[in-house]
Amino acid sequence: MTTPVKTEWITIAPGFAGYLALPPAGHGPGLVLFQEIFGVNEHIRAVAEQYALDGFVVLAPDCFWRDAPRVELGYAGDDWQRAFALMKAYRPEAALAAIGMAVQALRARPEVAGGKVGALGYCMGGRLAYLAAATAGVDAAVPFYGGGIHMQLERAASITCPVQFHYAEHDANIPLSAVAAVQQAFAGRAAEVHTYTDAHHGFNCWARESYHAPSAALAHGRSLAFLAQHLF
């Protein structure tokens, strides 16, 4: 059986590519999907196709295109070490440039036809989705366990779109004090902060040991309802 989702790699800018997944209808609101530190790997491509099945035109930009074009890494051993090295070398100015180009490219796609565009991301990509809300004019943002967001809360004042945050209670990288800081910064704003009591960092990724299906399913349902409300 063939999938009704059409996918291809497209050029965002010279040397900068992204994985595009089109919904069965062939058009819909846009969703920029920001990768973890492991590249636009099998998991991220599957997530792109999952949200495309839900009706979104999804673009997953290859954020490490300057240092490791189209890199795909796993979650242990040498791949883990390389992923962290790429993350450490990823400069903020490069991240902001990639965010802006990806959002602009998706808005310009005929399948989006000037419609709304949201941002969704995991881990490093969660932080990039947050930055997209602060700097790129997206219409909604959904950061999953975005590392470092609590250290960039000065950008919260620049965010005017709705935001839905997802965190794991047992995240070794993001303490609950950081989650509380995000909650405080967005109190009274068009924002939701969800914490998953039985989950660890990376709970959405079925290829990781920390995958937690009940939390992943609940988070996907919440994300989908949120994005449908604000993008369709």
Side-chain angles (χ1 to χ4, degrees):
M1 179 178 175
T2 59
T3 175
V5 172
K6 294 182 179 179
T7 64
E8 63 175 317
W9 282 90
I10 65 167
T11 298
I12 297 172
F16 182 23
Y19 185 74
L20 181 72
L22 298 179
H27 59 84
L31 185 62
V32 182
L33 170 61
F34 292 106
Q35 64 181 66
E36 296 178 300
I37 64 175
F38 307 99
V40 184
N41 61 8
E42 183 179 11
H43 169 250
I44 293 298
R45 295 195 305 273
V47 171
E49 293 161 24
Q50 180 182 37
Y51 278 91
L53 277 172
D54 293 327
F56 298 93
V57 177
V58 186
L59 177 62
D62 178 23
C63 293
F64 291 151
W65 66 281
R66 292 186 184 276
D67 296 324
R70 299 275 290 268
V71 67
E72 293 188 38
L73 299 171
Y75 305 95
D78 291 343
D79 276 11
W80 183 276
Q81 296 301 323
R82 189 179 183 203
F84 270 84
L86 286 168
M87 179 190 67
K88 290 179 180 178
Y90 195 43
R91 302 270 65 86
E93 58 273 18
L96 291 175
I99 291 167
M101 287 189 288
V103 171
Q104 184 178 15
L106 188 54
R107 282 197 188 280
R109 294 289 305 184
E111 299 90 350
V112 176
K116 293 182 178 181
V117 171
L120 170 74
Y122 301 88
C123 190
M124 179 190 79
R127 182 172 71 252
L128 299 185
Y130 171 78
L131 291 173
T135 67
V138 297
D139 299 289
V142 181
F144 272 68
Y145 34 85
I149 289 176
H150 63 289
M151 295 186 288
Q152 299 192 45
L153 290 176
E154 72 281 358
R155 292 188 179 273
S158 301
I159 296 176
T160 58
C161 71
V163 186
Q164 185 184 67
F165 298 91
H166 299 271
Y167 289 104
E169 182 174 342
H170 305 290
D171 195 321
N173 304 306
I174 305 171
L176 289 178
S177 59
V179 179
V182 172
Q183 288 178 309
Q184 183 176 1
F186 282 87
R189 309 276 298 277
E192 303 173 16
V193 181
H194 298 288
T195 304
Y196 298 84
T197 56
D198 296 320
H200 296 258
H201 189 82
F203 67 79
N204 183 75
C205 179
W206 48 84
R208 298 175 71 156
E209 290 185 3
S210 58
Y211 175 58
H212 189 249
S215 297
L218 179 57
H220 177 62
R222 285 170 169 167
S223 300
L224 191 57
F226 178 83
L227 291 168
Q229 176 185 356
H230 295 294
L231 298 184
F232 277 103

